[in-house]
Amino acid sequence: MKLPVNEFELIARLTPGLPRNATVITGAGDDCAVLDLGLPERWVLFKTDAVVEGVHFDATARPEQIGHKALARPLSDIAAMAGEPSSALVTLALPVRFDVAFVEKVYAGLNTLAARHGVAVVGGETTANPERLLLSVAVLGFVARDRAVRRAGAQPGDALFVTGELGGSRAGRHLDFEPRLAEARWLAEHFPIHAMIDLSDGLAGDLRHLLAAGGVGAELRAESIPISRAARQLARAGHAGGSALHAALSDGEDFELLFCVAAQDAVRLRDAWHERFPSVRLTCIGRITAEPGLRLRDRRGLHYLTLHGYVHFAQS
Amino acid sequence: MKLPVNEFELIARLTPGLPRNATVITGAGDDCAVLDLGLPERWVLFKTDAVVEGVHFDATARPEQIGHKALARPLSDIAAMAGEPSSALVTLALPVRFDVAFVEKVYAGLNTLAARHGVAVVGGETTANPERLLLSVAVLGFVARDRAVRRAGAQPGDALFVTGELGGSRAGRHLDFEPRLAEARWLAEHFPIHAMIDLSDGLAGDLRHLLAAGGVGAELRAESIPISRAARQLARAGHAGGSALHAALSDGEDFELLFCVAAQDAVRLRDAWHERFPSVRLTCIGRITAEPGLRLRDRRGLHYLTLHGYVHFAQS
């Protein structure tokens, strides 16, 4: 699932030159673009995302799963802003000799997910991509005006929460995860969520985006990180590229929600969540700090963390 | 520029199963989706389109031209509904070893076109497509409520007009055409345009879409078809796959507007057009008929036309 080298650097170079207009509330750099199209009570969310054969899925994926994932990814970005998806367009780039029944199954998976979340599939386009299947899905959604939850907004002292369990998504979950739309809307409706992001690049990587957007740092508690069963199994079998904790910190495509709230809201939020979503784990994994950087506290002390693991001992 | 075999059949099979919701005015099957998001005076247009290396451009294309074309194509679809584009998202699928300067030039071409038409580029995404560059662009736009010009609506007796000159686009125009946004909006504001489409699959092919949507036929006058200089040159050099007229009827990627109006509006429209757009050719190429099918009248008589040329002698 690795993207081209320098992707983030490339985006940083391209973003300042992008044209804007009066509709743009939030342009490039958040989970979705936020647009004020003149609706009295709502902003519009706009997002596009692609899945590519051999990059985001392989030959073992069923076509229904490919269609599901192609739509579920941008829906997860709509969730990350506490939005409600409304419609989608599908661009299907196909090898020249394609199997119609296969494509119908791709759409069946996509349509089932769309229908479950009230999303209209309002068109699409078919083009050629000779070597491999690529699906690009564009999604429109809504969020209450002034209520989009952004990456920026984390405050020192905030409690940091994550939904679900992390790591090992490539064992299967990346193909059939359900975007956390209902959970995110419930959170934003009931609590002042300071910042939120969905986990696509791994906890450590996406947390860094949230910290950079807010100009803050964070301290995680190692024993609180919710490690998935798949990550533990891969680690035991020697397929996780390190420990299960390392997998939970760095594996991509969890598509869980990472968010922060003021510390005084944390216990009330956790209790209300368990009442409302008893089957979805919610874990407080640490706190936001004024000091920049990402640190992990374990039994041996406090360590600075990079995308690839521990860097150096920080303090005891 | 050939698309996979059975593309239209595939779309016809997929379309009935697409989920809808209450926002959908027009879903799959027109130039853009038309959505009622609750704006009092406007509908929203939603469109996505992709260009693929080796399919829509080749190694001779400058990167600025690739970016220009990637955005110009969906803007042409916005034009075909007499809409106004507002914002765009760019999905860039790149070979793993990409050249940052090349990508910056792709964006420079795209941004220049966007800025010229007031379009905000509100984000994008970068992913891997190992063998070739692919750009997918999603566009949002507006059209006055109840004023979107659709493919359906042609009436027997209507005059059929086309902008510009046709054929031979692959000699260069396909990379730097300007979408006919101002022209289309002016048309819809000043005349009751019954139906409109932009020419991407060739005059004969796209006219068939317009006729099928309206349940009508058409008769074209061979001597009125505006043949481009490039089509004439390619035909003379033996590179047009037939006559220059054949090229003007069947070459793709003209990105001109094809539309029809009541016969009594035709002369007034033509005169007003030449006053407003003196440098853009506008030609009445024939008329809509109640009888289905597409016919071409030349000096030898009336012929039924297929996508690939004349089929058989119809009547004298």
Side-chain angles (χ1 to χ4, degrees):
Chain A
M1 319 253 171
K2 285 293 169 218
L3 291 162
V5 186
N6 285 328
E7 186 208 0
F8 296 116
E9 188 200 343
L10 175 65
I11 291 170
R13 284 176 68 164
L14 294 171
T15 301
L18 299 178
R20 296 175 68 93
N21 65 26
T23 67
V24 182
I25 303 294
T26 303
D30 214 313
D31 292 294
C32 302
V34 185
L35 303 172
D36 183 352
L37 301 189
L39 289 164
E41 295 177 356
R42 296 188 293 179
W43 282 336
V44 166
L45 304 178
F46 191 17
K47 175 67 187 180
T48 187
D49 197 83
V51 293
V52 183
E53 182 179 348
V55 180
H56 302 93
F57 58 90
D58 62 23
T60 66
R62 287 185 294 110
E64 293 88 347
Q65 292 178 310
I66 298 167
H68 174 94
K69 180 172 183 176
L71 178 61
R73 282 171 53 107
L75 293 190
S76 183
D77 287 299
I78 299 281
M81 305 201 87
E84 180 175 8
S86 179
S87 53
L89 289 170
V90 181
T91 295
L92 194 55
L94 291 163
V96 177
R97 294 169 182 278
F98 66 88
D99 174 13
V100 171
F102 180 90
V103 173
E104 288 183 313
K105 287 176 187 168
V106 170
Y107 264 87
L110 191 148
N111 290 345
T112 300
L113 177 64
R116 190 155 63 235
H117 292 282
V119 176
V121 179
V122 293
E125 195 223 354
T126 308
T127 188
N129 190 45
E131 295 80 11
R132 54 184 76 223
L133 181 63
L134 178 152
L135 272 94
S136 174
V137 178
V139 177
L140 277 188
F142 297 109
V143 68
R145 184 173 274 263
D146 301 315
R147 295 294 288 274
V149 182
R150 298 202 177 76
R151 293 183 177 183
Q155 300 294 324
D158 280 359
L160 198 53
F161 282 95
V162 71
T163 62
E165 298 177 340
L166 308 182
S169 177
R170 69 182 178 281
R173 192 178 130 74
H174 75 106
L175 287 171
D176 50 26
F177 71 94
E178 193 71 22
R180 299 284 191 199
L181 286 157
E183 294 90 336
R185 284 207 296 280
W186 178 87
L187 283 170
E189 279 165 20
H190 292 85
F191 293 92
I193 306 298
H194 289 174
M196 186 154 61
I197 191 169
D198 73 316
L199 297 182
S200 53
D201 295 335
L203 172 61
D206 287 314
L207 177 51
R208 268 170 216 287
H209 297 316
L210 188 145
L211 299 179
V216 291
E219 187 182 314
L220 301 178
R221 287 185 305 272
E223 81 269 20
S224 300
I225 308 290
I227 302 170
S228 76
R229 192 168 160 176
R232 292 188 195 280
Q233 287 173 336
L234 288 168
R236 266 200 301 273
H239 299 320
S243 68
L245 175 62
H246 179 269
L249 286 165
S250 60
D251 281 1
E253 303 215 301
D254 290 315
F255 299 109
E256 296 292 351
L257 299 171
L258 175 71
F259 62 91
C260 53
V261 288
Q264 69 263 28
D265 291 328
V267 172
R268 196 168 55 90
L269 186 151
R270 194 195 54 194
D271 291 349
W273 173 282
H274 288 141
E275 187 130 330
R276 176 66 184 78
F277 301 107
S279 66
V280 183
R281 194 162 163 183
L282 180 74
T283 314
C284 181
I285 58 172
R287 63 184 178 87
I288 300 294
T289 60
E291 186 192 346
L294 178 50
R295 292 167 298 283
L296 181 77
R297 184 176 290 280
D298 65 14
R299 277 168 293 180
R300 292 178 299 144
L302 194 63
H303 313 265
Y304 279 102
L305 207 67
T306 67
L307 282 172
H308 305 293
Y310 305 148
V311 181
H312 66 268
F313 189 73
Q315 63 178 82
S316 60
Chain B
M1 318 248 172
K2 285 292 170 219
L3 291 163
V5 185
N6 284 328
E7 186 207 0
F8 297 115
E9 187 201 343
L10 175 66
I11 291 169
R13 285 177 69 166
L14 294 171
T15 301
L18 299 178
R20 296 176 67 94
N21 64 28
T23 68
V24 182
I25 303 294
T26 302
D30 214 312
D31 292 294
C32 302
V34 185
L35 303 173
D36 183 352
L37 301 190
L39 288 164
E41 294 177 357
R42 297 188 294 179
W43 281 336
V44 167
L45 303 177
F46 190 17
K47 175 68 187 180
T48 187
D49 197 82
V51 294
V52 183
E53 181 179 349
V55 181
H56 302 93
F57 60 89
D58 62 22
T60 67
R62 286 186 294 110
E64 293 88 346
Q65 292 177 311
I66 297 167
H68 173 94
K69 180 171 183 175
L71 177 62
R73 283 171 52 109
L75 293 190
S76 183
D77 287 299
I78 299 281
M81 304 201 86
E84 179 176 10
S86 180
S87 54
L89 288 171
V90 181
T91 295
L92 193 56
L94 292 163
V96 177
R97 292 171 183 278
F98 66 88
D99 174 14
V100 171
F102 181 91
V103 173
E104 288 183 312
K105 289 175 186 168
V106 169
Y107 264 87
L110 191 148
N111 289 345
T112 300
L113 177 64
R116 190 154 65 237
H117 292 283
V119 176
V121 180
V122 293
E125 194 224 353
T126 308
T127 187
N129 190 44
E131 295 80 12
R132 55 185 76 223
L133 181 63
L134 179 151
L135 271 94
S136 174
V137 178
V139 177
L140 277 189
F142 297 109
V143 67
R145 184 173 274 265
D146 300 316
R147 295 293 288 274
V149 182
R150 299 202 176 75
R151 293 183 178 183
Q155 300 293 324
D158 280 358
L160 199 53
F161 281 95
V162 72
T163 62
E165 298 177 340
L166 308 182
S169 177
R170 69 181 177 281
R173 190 178 131 75
H174 76 106
L175 287 171
D176 50 26
F177 71 94
E178 194 71 21
R180 299 283 191 202
L181 286 157
E183 294 90 335
R185 284 207 296 278
W186 177 88
L187 283 169
E189 279 164 18
H190 292 85
F191 293 91
I193 307 298
H194 289 173
M196 186 153 63
I197 191 170
D198 73 316
L199 296 183
S200 53
D201 294 335
L203 173 60
D206 288 314
L207 177 51
R208 268 171 216 287
H209 297 316
L210 188 144
L211 299 178
V216 292
E219 187 182 313
L220 301 178
R221 288 184 305 272
E223 81 269 21
S224 300
I225 309 290
I227 302 170
S228 74
R229 191 167 161 176
R232 291 188 196 281
Q233 286 173 337
L234 289 168
R236 267 200 301 274
H239 299 320
S243 68
L245 175 63
H246 180 268
L249 286 164
S250 59
D251 281 1
E253 304 216 300
D254 290 314
F255 299 108
E256 295 292 351
L257 298 171
L258 175 71
F259 63 92
C260 53
V261 288
Q264 69 262 27
D265 291 328
V267 172
R268 194 167 58 88
L269 185 150
R270 195 196 52 196
D271 292 349
W273 175 281
H274 288 141
E275 186 131 331
R276 176 67 184 80
F277 300 106
S279 66
V280 183
R281 194 163 164 184
L282 180 73
T283 314
C284 181
I285 58 172
R287 62 185 179 87
I288 300 294
T289 60
E291 186 192 345
L294 177 50
R295 292 165 300 283
L296 181 77
R297 184 175 291 280
D298 65 14
R299 278 169 292 179
R300 291 178 299 144
L302 195 63
H303 313 265
Y304 279 102
L305 207 68
T306 68
L307 281 172
H308 305 293
Y310 305 148
V311 182
H312 65 268
F313 189 73
Q315 62 179 80
S316 59

